Amino acid sequence: MAVKSGKWSTLIKGYYVLMAVLVVGLVTAKQRWLEQGAAGTAAGWIFYGVVLVGVLIIVPALVLLWLWLRRWMERYGVERQLRMILLIVTVPMMLVIGYMLELVFIMLFIGLGGS
C-alpha cells in the first residue's frame, strides 16, 4: 500500500495526536497511582510507559528532521562532500538532542502531580 505524498502530513498529525492521548493517559495513570497510596509495582510500569512514549515521540521527529535536512541540501545544491560531512555530523548531534529531550520528558513527567 503506497501512501500519496499529500497524506504523509495527515498520517504524521494523526500519529502525534495518538501520542498526545498516550501522554494524557500516563498523567492520568500517575494521578490515580498517587491517589491510591503510591504502590511500588505500578510505579515501574508507569515509568516504562513514560520512556516508551517519549521514544515514540522523539525518534520519528528526529528521523523526519534528518530527511528534511537531506532533502533541503539536495534542493539547494550543497556539494556532495560537504553534504556527506553535514549528514555524518548531524546524526550523533540529533541522537544527543533526542536523548536530552527524553530526559527532560521524564523529569517533567515525574514532576507532575505530586511528590
Side-chain angles (χ1 to χ4, degrees):
M1 178 177 128
V3 178
K4 294 182 181 179
S5 63
K7 293 190 179 187
W8 278 112
S9 174
T10 304
L11 288 174
I12 292 169
K13 289 175 189 172
Y15 177 79
Y16 279 105
V17 167
L18 177 66
M19 291 299 114
V21 169
L22 288 175
V23 169
V24 170
L26 284 170
V27 171
T28 305
K30 181 182 179 203
Q31 191 63 32
R32 285 186 193 155
W33 173 70
L34 287 172
E35 289 171 359
Q36 293 174 356
T41 57
W45 290 108
I46 293 172
F47 179 75
Y48 293 139
V50 170
V51 171
L52 180 66
V53 169
V55 168
L56 289 174
I57 290 171
I58 293 168
V59 169
L62 292 175
V63 169
L64 290 171
L65 179 65
W66 188 78
L67 291 172
W68 173 82
L69 178 65
R70 199 175 97 199
R71 189 173 56 234
W72 179 83
M73 286 190 287
E74 289 172 0
R75 179 182 296 157
Y76 291 105
V78 176
E79 294 179 11
R80 182 169 168 74
Q81 293 86 4
L82 182 58
R83 186 182 321 158
M84 293 306 293
I85 291 171
L86 287 174
L87 290 176
I88 289 170
V89 167
T90 57
V91 169
M93 188 171 53
M94 286 185 195
L95 290 173
V96 168
I97 290 170
Y99 180 70
M100 289 171 33
L101 289 174
E102 175 70 17
L103 290 176
V104 168
F105 180 69
I106 291 170
M107 286 188 293
L108 286 175
F109 187 85
I110 290 172
L112 293 176
S115 57

